[in-house]
Amino acid sequence: MTRRVHEVMTGNPVTVEQLTSLAEAARVMRDAGIGDVLVVDQGRLLGILTDRDIVVRALAEDRDPAKTTVRAICSGDPFTVRPDENVDQAVDLMRRHALRRLPVQAENGELVGIVTLGDLEVERDPGSPLSAIAAAEGRGR
């Protein structure tokens, strides 16, 4: 039987509003034990911000994390998948575009989850060492 995205995704994605400072976004990531947040404008997906984005696009460029907004450095216009899509479709999209994570949106645009490489590794081979690491991180990110 073919698995669907909703069966492997991490639900309840963590979001921050576009005008949130990088410092606050970093605290949100720390407190949630994750390495990325979805950037939204009143619930509408605008982009993805990762801990690496903060380091490479902000700190390395001497931007002030207390004054720089997440919108200024996030990766915009992210690819998304629907919860009822086939997992193989999500894998193909990630492979073709070298993505590590895909937001999951319902038909109405509501953000319902995120699929990460860790989620997919747990799905592909639950007994693998990488799967054990992803599961130990709690959210596979």
Side-chain angles (χ1 to χ4, degrees):
M1 185 169 144
T2 303
R3 302 278 290 184
R4 301 290 174 194
V5 168
H6 70 86
E7 297 176 271
V8 300
M9 72 181 193
T10 299
N12 302 314
V14 177
T15 64
V16 295
E17 284 291 327
Q18 66 176 334
L19 298 179
T20 303
S21 73
L22 295 180
E24 178 59 26
R27 285 189 286 275
V28 168
M29 287 184 218
R30 177 200 62 203
D31 293 348
I34 56 176
D36 61 83
V37 292
L38 300 179
V39 178
V40 298
D41 178 17
Q42 299 180 357
R44 185 176 60 87
L45 179 64
L46 298 177
I48 299 176
L49 177 75
T50 67
D51 46 8
R52 185 176 191 280
D53 292 332
I54 293 172
V55 172
V56 173
R57 296 181 184 168
L59 297 179
E61 299 294 326
D62 293 324
R63 292 183 182 218
D64 182 344
K67 294 180 181 173
T68 305
T69 66
V70 295
R71 180 68 172 145
I73 68 159
C74 73
S75 298
D77 299 320
F79 290 95
T80 63
V81 293
R82 301 272 185 238
D84 60 344
E85 284 187 55
N86 183 309
V87 168
D88 292 337
Q89 291 172 296
V91 169
D92 183 56
L93 185 62
M94 293 172 85
R95 181 180 296 122
R96 281 186 289 123
H97 298 284
L99 304 171
R100 297 178 182 270
R101 57 195 58 79
L102 279 173
V104 181
Q105 284 186 305
E107 289 293 326
N108 65 2
E110 177 188 2
L111 291 166
V112 296
I114 190 163
V115 175
T116 67
L117 289 178
D119 294 328
L120 295 172
E121 179 59 20
V122 170
E123 166 65 16
R124 186 183 70 80
D125 186 0
S128 77
L130 290 177
S131 177
I133 292 167
E137 292 176 4
R139 294 182 55 133
R141 299 192 211 181

